[in-house]
Amino acid sequence: MSAVGLLGEIAGVGRGRGGYSRHVFDRAEGELRAWFAERAERIGLDVETDRNGNLWAWWGTPGPDALVTGSHLDSVPGGGAFDGPLGVVSALDAVAALQAEGFRPGKPLAVLVFAEEEGGRFGVPCLGSRLLTGSIDAGKARALRDQDGVTFAEAAARAGFDPERFGRDEVALSRIGTFLELHVEQGRGLVDLGSPVAVGSTVIAHGRWRFSFSGQGNHAGATLMGDRHDPMVPAAAVVAAARRIASKVEGARATVGRLIPRPGGTNVIASTVDLWLDARVTGEDRVRPLVDEIADAAGKAAAEEGCEIRLSEESYGGTVAFDAGLREELRALLGGAPELPTGAGHDAAILSGHTRAGMLYVRNPTGISHAPEEFAEDEDVEHGARALAEALRHLST
Ligand SMILES: [Zn+2]
């Protein structure tokens, strides 16, 4: 039951030509949930699903001050094989390795799989951990819609969950003494440092904003250029402003990765365009001022084109520094492993506002993530699982 072997077992699930698409409550994700439960039960863990659709596998009786480790099984659209699943298979591998040597944890230990970490279906990232901690309103979460107009509540109900029970889960939250998430690195930090594993230091402030432009749908050939109210024009201004403005701010990244024109015909001027801006800045929280500047440019472009603009913040998380004591313990335990900041968001960052939390990263030789090229060598995967086992041994005694 090596981490590499476990990854191999799910390699075919949700895989398409353009990478993996495993979204909360869809068929592939359901298959992964069943696989996880079966695999966890096989090593004697008790599997339960909490009120928010997160999966827990307990080694010992669930209780307070538990040591919890895990990650997520969902992906972005067209994602890689490691983002999320690596933390889950490493946790199962580490628990099995500790069991095999007769180790008995001195406190309850659980493997946790968070729901909808990527926000790949309903737009808000870390939805499972945000609901668990109460950092998103349950009613707002229930009303989120996927691309087909299905609400999160409807999708949950179809998958056998009761959406009325969504919301801050005091019982589950009070059990977590420490949360440790292992994750594939999503940049080239470890390649440059020449190390297979690092301890997470900080997660940069980041958020997602939705720009909705409406204009006048019309004929692409019959409408003179001066007569148009084309919402694609201010949408394009957002893309250009995001690049221009973020390039001037040190440590900033701004991305438009999703844009939906409606009705979406080649010979049709769109009547509406929705686009999503992902913005992040290192250091102090300077994300909202950056987005304000981009929004100003968008507002001017919309006015010039005679279009309406609506802007809404879909998610936001400030800069997070993982628990300093835990970082020190992990570094000492892993032979002085380097510390690494990340530009990616994680459930561990959401939990860090509520409990002691930390992260381990495993080297990704391509430095590419959220794409099929995301990778980790078998040797590094095994190294990561062993490092996690060491951490669990140390932190649970
Ligand atoms: Zn992830």
Side-chain angles (χ1 to χ4, degrees), residues 242-308:
R243 169 60 65 91
R244 185 179 70 248
I245 293 164
S247 298
K248 289 186 305 192
V249 177
E250 203 195 325
R253 305 97 153 101
T255 307
V256 176
R258 184 174 168 216
L259 182 147
I260 302 176
R262 288 192 178 83
T266 305
N267 57 351
V268 180
I269 297 167
S271 53
T272 66
V273 175
D274 287 310
L275 68 84
W276 285 261
L277 173 72
D278 176 307
R280 312 175 189 226
V281 189
T282 55
E284 335 140 33
D285 294 354
R286 292 171 293 156
V287 181
R288 283 178 172 133
L290 180 88
V291 173
D292 286 346
E293 218 181 310
I294 295 169
D296 276 352
K300 283 188 191 115
E304 275 169 28
E305 187 69 15
C307 292
E308 298 285 320

Side-chain angles (χ1 to χ4, degrees), residues 71-72 74 82-85 117-118 181 183-184 186 345-346 370:
S71 192
H72 60 96
D74 67 308
F82 298 86
D83 178 352
E117 194 275 343
E118 299 289 4
E181 178 171 2
H183 205 280
V184 69
Q186 296 178 281
H346 295 289
H370 285 181

Side-chain angles (χ1 to χ4, degrees), residues 155-195:
R158 282 178 208 166
F161 295 92
D162 178 2
E164 289 310 314
R165 298 189 69 228
F166 286 162
R168 184 176 160 96
D169 187 339
E170 295 293 349
V171 175
L173 199 53
S174 68
R175 286 174 175 166
I176 309 174
T178 300
F179 179 67
L180 180 60
E181 178 171 2
L182 178 146
H183 205 280
V184 69
E185 204 214 331
Q186 296 178 281
R188 291 186 45 85
L190 281 170
V191 176
D192 297 339
L193 290 165
S195 171

Side-chain angles (χ1 to χ4, degrees), residues 80-246:
F82 298 86
D83 178 352
L86 184 63
V88 176
V89 300
S90 300
L92 291 172
D93 180 334
V95 166
L98 292 173
Q99 289 176 339
E101 57 184 64
F103 176 79
R104 286 279 165 270
K107 52 178 73 172
L109 198 154
V111 179
L112 176 54
V113 178
F114 279 109
E116 181 73 333
E117 194 275 343
E118 299 289 4
R121 181 167 176 192
F122 291 98
V124 175
C126 301
L127 200 48
S129 56
R130 283 181 204 274
L131 281 166
L132 171 72
T133 56
S135 49
I136 185 171
D137 175 69
K140 184 182 167 191
R142 280 191 285 267
L144 292 169
R145 286 182 189 277
D146 70 7
Q147 296 211 41
D148 300 322
V150 177
T151 66
F152 185 50
E154 288 162 351
R158 282 178 208 166
F161 295 92
D162 178 2
E164 289 310 314
R165 298 189 69 228
F166 286 162
R168 184 176 160 96
D169 187 339
E170 295 293 349
V171 175
L173 199 53
S174 68
R175 286 174 175 166
I176 309 174
T178 300
F179 179 67
L180 180 60
E181 178 171 2
L182 178 146
H183 205 280
V184 69
E185 204 214 331
Q186 296 178 281
R188 291 186 45 85
L190 281 170
V191 176
D192 297 339
L193 290 165
S195 171
V197 173
V199 174
S201 56
T202 56
V203 173
I204 70 174
H206 61 283
R208 297 181 182 185
W209 287 262
R210 178 182 184 151
F211 288 74
S212 299
F213 297 102
S214 48
Q216 177 60 57
N218 213 331
H219 194 289
T223 316
L224 299 178
M225 297 313 283
D227 292 342
R228 298 178 180 217
H229 306 291
D230 181 353
M232 191 60 86
V233 173
V238 175
V239 177
R243 169 60 65 91
R244 185 179 70 248
I245 293 164

